[in-house]
């Protein structure tokens, strides 16, 4: 469609956070357009037929853990627009190469599922089983509070409360019956203190990293607990592919009247003095923003290139330059088109491991898991080609042709900049073979002959295609100094910038990455306050 040259609000980037902000602004009465540089909306919320025709792979976002609460999902009726989800009973598990009993953790949909988790852990340790169940139940009681915090801008420090990071609060640990020093410890320390079973520790280390929480980073203990005990049993599968969520979001926003332009890269934020007044596209087209510009594009590009370092104060230029990207949230992804789904040796003890939503493969000990994380964070291609995998065709037949299966998996990997393009090409061509060779020791039917076609997606691919810099799915490291009210840095924590009329809403903002739509929603709340718009959250009865 021909580009309109003037809007109230212009959003740079059509990732799901940008679409969220756009939809709410349009509904609040601002004429809004989103400009996305790719041919597709939704960034990492996408599905690809990358191996063979008819095999769908969620190469990126796979687990939808926020759907029950996500304001956008409910306020805009996304289910009716095709974004529907399944909730697999066996949620996460780990299998072993010698066929030892697996550990399987189940959904929290029904109380009896928690009993199944207890039973699975108790095979190894009654103590660990009781500890897991006790903490899981208490985490449940925190849920409402945690959701309210996610879908509100972070509390900022005051003289009375200089350290308001909610998710690092000692009070939370008290409610969970855990000692206060866990908050300052690393997830590994917390996991080691809580659990004696090496098999469970290995699974928990991996679950901690799954949400980008570095397992050995001090000060991330509470975040690790959230990752291991809350997020982990709430995973939903989008029927027909994760992309159905992104499509439904755009449909909802467009139905509201918002315009969405694909293949429209923004290269400049236009300024009038210290005020953002529009954007320039790569083809030279200038779009006026009568009220505001908001960016879903990465932080450094937005501030240092699109605004330009010369237009920033020394403090903001410094903050933007110093902002760290990776290494703990960097993934490589595999896609395998299969004749048969994997059949694990460990299934002889509990067949549910063959139908577990997220299965950890390739690690027999917690030490192997730590070595693997250390390799990735240290800039080395992990020597142990182990992964977290899922076979969505086990639940949803639309993921593969009849009788066949579609597998995907994640490897924590080094940052894109640690290797040359030639080295990445070599990894892309060879790493799946290493993975399959190891996988076979865990599930003997996972031979090369079982693989119809395969695909490997490197961190460099993600940077090139999605502008997920370094392949970091949060577009900015999670760390105590870049989290909570310090994300991305203290002066920008409330989605505003020092440039009047320029806002930020990417995953480098609070609360971080993940398909939560929270950053877009929270940015909307701030903008609604600044521009005197209606505040739907005050009347929706939801509390956020
Ligand atoms: C491999 C992988 C697996 C993941 N798995 C999960 C999961 O299972 N569950 C979960 O909840 N989350 C998961 N995530 C995280 C989640 O998908 C992301 O954190 C989230 O999508 C980021 O939000 P976003 O889409 O708004 O931002 P981004 O992905 O940062 O999107 C930014 C958008 O801006 C566009 N853009 C950039 N520069 C410009 C420009 N100059 N002009 C115009 N447009 C521009 C980009 O093309 C992109 O579309 C995963 C991410 C990855 C990469």
């Amino acid at each position: 469609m021909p580009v309109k040259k003037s809007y109230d609000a212009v959003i740079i980037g059509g990732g799901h956070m940008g679409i969220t902000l756009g939809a709410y602004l349009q509904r609040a009465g601002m004429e809004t357009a989103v400009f996305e540089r790719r041919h597709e909306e939704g960034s990492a919320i996408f599905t690809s037929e990358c191996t063979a025709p008819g095999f769908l792979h969620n190469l990126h976002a796979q687990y939808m853990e926020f759907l029950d609460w996500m304001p956008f999902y409910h306020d805009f009726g996304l289910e009716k627009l095709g974004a529907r989800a399944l909730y697999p009973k066996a949620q996460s598990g780990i299998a072993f190469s010698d066929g030892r009993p697996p550990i399987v953790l189940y959904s929290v949909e029904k109380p009896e599922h928690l009993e199944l988790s207890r039973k699975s852990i108790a095979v190894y340790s009654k103590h660990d089983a009781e500890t897991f169940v006790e903490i899981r139940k208490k985490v449940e009681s925190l849920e409402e509070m945690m959701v309210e915090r996610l879908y509100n801008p972070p509390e900022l420090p005051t003289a009375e409360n200089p350290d308001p990071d909610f998710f690092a609060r000692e009070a939370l640990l008290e409610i969970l019956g855990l000692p206060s020093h866990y908050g300052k410890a690393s997830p590994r320390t917390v996991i080691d203190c809580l659990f004696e079973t090496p098999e469970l520790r290995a699974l928990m280390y991996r679950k901690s990293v799954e949400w980008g929480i570095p397992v050995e980073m001090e000060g991330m203990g509470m975040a690790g607990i959230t990752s291991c005990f809350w997020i982990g049993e709430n995973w939903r599968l989008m029927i027909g592919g994760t992309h159905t969520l992104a499509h439904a979001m755009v449909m909802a926003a467009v139905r509201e009247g918002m315009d969405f332009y694909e293949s429209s890269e923004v290269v400049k934020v236009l300024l009038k003095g210290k005020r953002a007044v529009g954007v320039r596209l790569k083809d030279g087209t200038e779009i006026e923003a009568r009220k505001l510009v908001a960016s879903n594009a990465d932080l450094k590009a937005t501030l240092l290139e699109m605004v330009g370092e010369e237009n920033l104060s020394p403090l903001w230029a410094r903050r933007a330059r110093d902002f760290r990207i990776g290494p703990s949230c960097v993934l490589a992804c595999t896609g395998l088109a299969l004749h048969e789904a994997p059949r694990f040796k460990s299934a002889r003890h509990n067949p549910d491991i063959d139908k577990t939503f997220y299965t950890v493969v390739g690690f027999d000990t917690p030490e192997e898991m730590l070595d693997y994380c250390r390799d990735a964070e240290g800039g080395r291609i992990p020597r142990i080609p182990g992964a977290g995998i899922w076979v969505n065709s086990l639940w949803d037949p639309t993921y593969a042709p009849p009788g066949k299966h579609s597998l995907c998996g994640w490897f924590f990997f080094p940052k894109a900049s640690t290797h040359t393009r030639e080295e990445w090409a070599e990894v892309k061509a060879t790493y799946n073979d290493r993975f399959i060779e190891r996988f076979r020791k865990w599930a003997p039917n996972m031979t090369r002959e079982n693989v119809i076609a395969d695909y490997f997606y490197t961190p460099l691919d993600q940077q090139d295609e999605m502008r997920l810099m370094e392949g970091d799915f949060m577009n900015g490291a999670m760390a105590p100094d870049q989290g909570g009210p310090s994300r991305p840095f203290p002066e920008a924590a409330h989605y505003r910038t020092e440039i009047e009329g320029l806002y930020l809403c990417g995953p480098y903002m609070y609360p971080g990455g993940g398909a939560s739509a929270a950053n877009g929603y929270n940015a909307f709340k701030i903008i609604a306050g600044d521009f005197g718009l209606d505040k739907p959250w005050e009347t929706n009865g939801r509390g956020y």
Side-chain angles (χ1 to χ4, degrees):
M1 82 181 167
V3 180
K4 237 174 97 178
K5 300 286 176 55
S6 177
Y7 288 91
D8 289 329
V10 169
I11 297 174
I12 307 168
H16 86 294
M17 308 288 191
I19 303 168
T20 303
L21 174 58
Y24 278 99
L25 285 176
Q26 184 72 39
R27 181 172 274 188
M30 279 204 186
E31 196 188 358
T32 302
V34 171
F35 292 87
E36 164 58 44
R37 54 171 285 284
R38 293 185 73 223
H39 61 285
E40 270 279 12
E41 72 275 12
S43 184
I45 317 283
F46 93 114
T47 305
S48 166
E49 220 169 331
C50 54
T51 53
F55 291 87
L56 302 185
H57 303 276
N58 294 331
L59 276 181
H60 278 173
Q62 151 75 2
Y63 306 115
M64 296 295 120
E65 56 275 67
F66 301 103
L67 286 187
D68 281 357
W69 316 294
M70 188 193 285
F72 195 173
Y73 192 74
H74 301 283
D75 292 346
F76 288 76
L78 298 191
E79 198 171 2
K80 285 211 173 105
L81 292 173
R84 290 172 296 116
L86 292 165
Y87 189 16
K89 181 171 135 192
Q91 286 268 300
S92 63
I94 183 164
F96 301 99
S97 65
D98 59 4
R100 258 173 288 165
I103 292 180
V104 182
L105 303 176
Y106 295 81
S107 82
V108 288
E109 193 177 20
K110 297 181 182 156
E112 56 267 34
H113 291 180
L114 196 53
E115 286 313 306
L116 293 174
S117 301
R118 185 203 302 264
K119 210 172 130 199
S120 179
I121 301 171
V123 169
Y124 287 101
S125 159
K126 209 162 165 303
H127 163 271
D128 287 0
E130 296 311 318
T131 304
F132 177 83
V133 168
E134 209 179 300
I135 299 176
R136 192 65 189 79
K137 279 185 180 159
K138 287 186 181 151
V139 164
E140 217 55 22
S141 71
L142 286 178
E143 191 166 280
E144 209 174 300
M145 209 193 312
M146 294 207 273
V147 170
E148 244 179 65
R149 296 296 166 147
L150 276 183
Y151 290 107
N152 273 304
E155 252 179 86
L156 298 182
T158 58
E160 299 77 53
N161 186 9
D163 188 14
D165 186 355
F166 174 79
F167 287 99
R169 267 199 202 148
E170 291 181 359
L172 283 185
L173 289 159
E174 257 171 55
I175 299 171
L176 296 176
L178 299 174
S180 60
H181 67 269
Y182 279 11
K184 297 205 168 62
S186 69
R188 180 197 171 178
T189 302
V190 174
I191 291 164
D192 289 355
C193 289
L194 290 175
F195 301 116
E196 60 191 14
T197 308
E199 287 79 1
L200 183 58
R201 284 182 181 172
L203 175 59
M204 288 299 187
Y205 290 170
R206 175 80 201 206
K207 284 182 75 174
S208 167
V209 200
E210 214 49 74
W211 221 38
I213 313 297
V215 71
E216 294 191 279
M217 187 182 276
E218 306 292 324
M220 299 301 274
M222 186 60 214
I225 291 170
T226 315
S227 197
C228 290
F229 292 96
W230 182 41
I231 305 291
E233 277 76 50
N234 282 319
W235 283 326
R236 308 294 202 275
L237 168 66
M238 297 311 300
I239 298 172
T242 300
H243 73 134
T244 58
L245 181 62
H247 285 313
M249 286 179 144
V250 169
M251 275 194 273
V254 168
R255 188 175 59 182
E256 227 37 69
M258 189 194 90
D259 285 339
F260 190 93
Y261 298 96
E262 291 111 354
S263 304
S264 302
E265 180 168 351
V266 173
V267 291
K268 210 75 203 152
V269 172
L270 303 174
L271 301 177
K272 199 168 191 179
K274 280 278 177 194
R275 192 184 151 66
V277 292
V279 298
R280 183 179 306 130
L281 305 183
K282 201 174 176 183
D283 67 5
T285 310
E286 294 196 349
I287 317 291
E288 180 192 23
R290 297 188 293 266
K291 293 183 175 152
L292 67 101
V293 175
S295 182
N296 181 198
D298 82 276
L299 181 78
K300 286 177 193 282
T302 301
L303 293 178
L304 298 174
E305 293 166 25
M306 292 186 223
V307 169
E309 204 167 330
E310 66 284 5
N311 295 309
L312 297 175
S313 65
L315 175 69
W316 274 68
R318 172 99 206 213
R319 294 287 208 198
R321 277 197 309 267
D322 288 351
F323 186 66
R324 300 186 308 285
I325 300 180
S328 63
C329 311
V330 178
L331 294 174
C333 317
T334 184
L336 306 179
L338 299 177
H339 290 292
E340 288 182 355
R343 292 196 301 273
F344 291 99
K345 289 179 189 168
S346 293
R348 63 175 187 248
H349 299 284
N350 181 354
D352 286 351
I353 193 67
D354 281 350
K355 205 176 174 188
T356 296
F357 194 29
Y358 168 78
T359 307
V360 176
V361 180
F363 308 95
D364 277 332
T365 66
E367 291 72 30
E368 284 183 342
M369 187 67 77
L370 291 176
D371 284 346
Y372 162 85
C373 293
R374 287 175 192 147
D375 271 352
E377 291 183 19
R380 295 177 295 276
I381 303 296
R383 285 160 291 184
I384 297 176
I389 62 127
W390 54 94
V391 185
N392 290 337
S393 46
L394 289 169
W395 292 273
D396 177 0
T398 62
Y399 275 86
K404 305 293 179 198
H405 287 283
S406 145
L407 180 148
C408 252
W410 289 328
F411 308 92
F412 282 89
F413 245 49
K415 298 197 288 188
S417 60
T418 56
H419 289 69
T420 63
R421 284 195 177 268
E422 292 69 30
E423 286 167 340
W424 281 121
E426 164 81 14
V427 172
K428 198 173 169 81
T430 56
Y431 207 75
N432 270 343
D433 283 336
R434 292 180 56 193
F435 173 54
I436 293 163
E437 198 184 314
R438 191 163 176 90
F439 202 154
R440 195 154 52 89
K441 299 190 180 115
W442 271 249
N445 70 329
M446 279 304 294
T447 56
R448 248 291 159 199
E449 293 66 47
N450 190 35
V451 179
I452 299 162
D454 65 283
Y455 182 78
F456 195 85
Y457 204 45
T458 68
L460 182 64
D461 293 334
Q462 295 169 49
Q463 175 172 293
D464 286 348
E465 289 178 22
M466 317 273 164
R467 291 285 200 273
L468 283 167
M469 305 317 288
E470 298 285 6
D472 179 335
F473 63 80
M474 303 250 184
N475 242 333
M478 290 298 265
D481 64 315
Q482 292 195 167
S486 303
R487 190 161 180 84
F489 47 86
E491 295 78 11
H494 263 190
Y495 310 89
R496 298 185 189 95
T497 68
E498 65 170 355
I499 304 293
E500 201 191 331
L502 177 66
Y503 295 82
L504 302 168
C505 68
Y508 45 81
M509 301 302 296
Y510 176 89
S516 68
N519 314 27
Y521 186 66
N522 294 347
F524 167 68
K525 286 186 166 184
I526 292 292
I527 293 170
D530 288 354
F531 286 85
L533 307 177
D534 281 350
K535 298 179 175 167
W537 65 93
E538 289 181 350
T539 50
N540 64 18
R542 198 167 49 206
Y544 59 91

